[in-house]
Amino acid sequence: MSPALPSLTVEADRVHGELEALAALVEPDLPGWTRTALGPVDRQARELVRRWMRDAGLETHVDGAGNIFGRLRGTGSGRTLMVGSHTDTVVGGGRFDGIVGVVGALEAVRALREADVRLEHDLVVVDFFHEEPNEFGLSCVGSRAMVGELTQAHLELRDEQGRTLADALATVDVDPSALLAARHDFTGVDAFVELHIEQGPYLEEHGSQIGLVESITGISRFRALFSGQADHAGTAPMDRRRDAGCAAAGTVLAVERIAGEGMQSRGTSGQLTFTPAAVNVVTERAEFRGEFRGPEAEWLRSAQDALTSAAQDEGARRDVDVEVEWLPLQEPMPMSGGVVSVLGDVVDGLGLSSTRLFSGAEHDAALMARAVPTGMLFVPSRDGRSHCPEEWTDLPDVAAGVTALTHSLVALDRRDPPPDWDGAPG
Ligand SMILES: [Zn+2]
């Protein structure tokens, strides 16, 4: 079925060298490998990536959203394949999340050029700006802008100090109006592929070298505010308190309970603040931010209703006012059935073991899939750990992923889009 694979050599040492070089560019006073998109070091890292793109023979440019592109000209079909990921990290994060996909795409370009394999398509490598969520509750800023889903309302989001996202972007020289205008023209783009670490334990537990992602989680985030009354911790009787902290705590437990009732669903209360933050004062005001994730949009909507009503019950029991505000629901995103089947054939042809799976983590690929037939390849994460300094993928596993990615690009280049190109994963 699939044509013979060309002879291509991926150099694990070069991949390792670039992973190390990026791991050296971190914010000095923060734990782990911290390089946040709105922080002081990310720009340096992205400049380095741009230099690597040029060294690999790519024509580079940066769009209004801060995404970096490197183009390898094809033999002239005028059509394009895209490949890439991100290089920013979360605070206290690791050295592999996103980075493997950018460095891996660069190595794919070098391997193709060294083997003299010319693609008919132009191949565009992308380092997406600002994939990880920020203190404004927004993630995938660059890819969101590319597919035209970034709005003025996003730029007006405020952090706890009252600063807007637009203000924060200006400090890293990203012009908010250029960002809104950075919608990409995807005409002639036949596919996007992202290589990424799994960030969970599934591949390791199943002894698989490669994960073929079938769909990416939906996400529903909220901010809940509880307003009660400050009182003396020693004299205010328990039955007369309006304790906003207790109402918030009950709602935190409701997140856990609701998520536990769904299939493959997750619920997390990531941020909770009490005001005044004093051991001897009944909490007047509590604010918390949390989220639900899952593969089914319908479940996410029912979880929103269940959580809002749980928060109201917790408030009502204590005469505490409750406001629950939901960010727009990010729908679960299936990958292109056509692309996934090409990736699967390539992985089988290389003799690599693989598993089809669902991604509980968000990715630029979920945004790109709105505009382009998209697929993702995962490589294993040791102990399933990610977004922490312990995040780790063995170099041979990274190299296997890069090899699969490189051959996938060749296979996508040589295959005419089948009629079910945009179909649901098989
Ligand atoms: Zn990532």
Side-chain angles (χ1 to χ4, degrees), residues 35-268:
R35 188 171 53 251
T36 59
L38 300 176
V41 183
D42 187 55
R43 190 194 325 206
Q44 259 172 282
R46 288 153 34 72
E47 270 309 312
L48 182 61
V49 169
R50 192 173 183 184
R51 206 179 79 209
W52 289 339
M53 285 182 178
R54 286 196 209 102
D55 293 347
L58 304 179
E59 299 161 25
T60 68
H61 87 274
V62 180
D63 72 3
N67 301 304
I68 305 176
F69 302 89
R71 181 180 294 267
L72 179 69
R73 294 265 167 214
T75 53
S77 70
R79 304 192 71 81
T80 301
L81 297 173
M82 297 182 78
V83 58
S85 193
H86 63 95
T87 50
D88 64 316
T89 74
V90 295
V91 173
R95 289 160 281 180
F96 299 88
D97 172 0
I99 300 150
V100 160
V102 173
V103 167
L106 284 169
E107 181 59 22
V109 168
R110 290 185 290 250
L112 290 170
R113 297 194 67 194
E114 287 167 4
D116 236 344
V117 174
R118 295 289 306 275
L119 301 186
E120 199 178 302
H121 288 74
D122 281 12
L123 178 62
V124 174
V125 176
V126 197
D127 180 6
F128 293 104
F129 175 64
H130 200 334
E131 191 271 351
E132 298 292 359
N134 52 32
E135 53 269 47
F136 304 88
L138 189 67
S139 51
C140 297
V141 175
S143 51
R144 198 177 296 275
M146 273 179 76
V147 299
E149 301 235 351
L150 193 86
T151 63
Q152 184 63 34
H154 287 123
L155 295 178
E156 287 164 13
L157 289 168
R158 286 179 189 276
D159 67 6
E160 276 174 12
Q161 286 75 49
R163 186 173 71 144
T164 64
L165 175 59
D167 294 341
L169 287 165
T171 66
V172 291
D173 284 343
V174 173
D175 171 4
S177 57
L179 192 80
L180 290 181
R183 188 183 193 134
H184 192 91
D185 178 5
F186 289 98
T187 312
V189 182
D190 280 340
F192 169 71
V193 186
E194 180 169 3
L195 170 69
H196 204 281
I197 58 168
E198 185 203 343
Q199 307 181 272
Y202 197 83
L203 293 178
E204 193 177 63
E205 281 170 7
H206 289 74
S208 291
Q209 291 164 288
I210 300 287
L212 298 162
V213 177
E214 295 196 303
S215 78
I216 298 177
T217 190
I219 304 184
S220 172
R221 294 202 168 110
F222 65 88
R223 173 170 176 254
L225 277 175
F226 299 85
S227 308
Q229 182 175 298
D231 272 307
H232 192 291
T235 59
M238 294 309 289
D239 61 354
R240 280 198 236 155
R241 293 183 179 201
R242 298 179 59 214
D243 190 330
C246 290
T251 311
V252 168
L253 296 179
V255 170
E256 184 189 41
R257 174 179 54 76
I258 293 164
E261 289 164 357
M263 289 283 287
Q264 289 187 293
S265 50
R266 308 278 188 269
T268 306

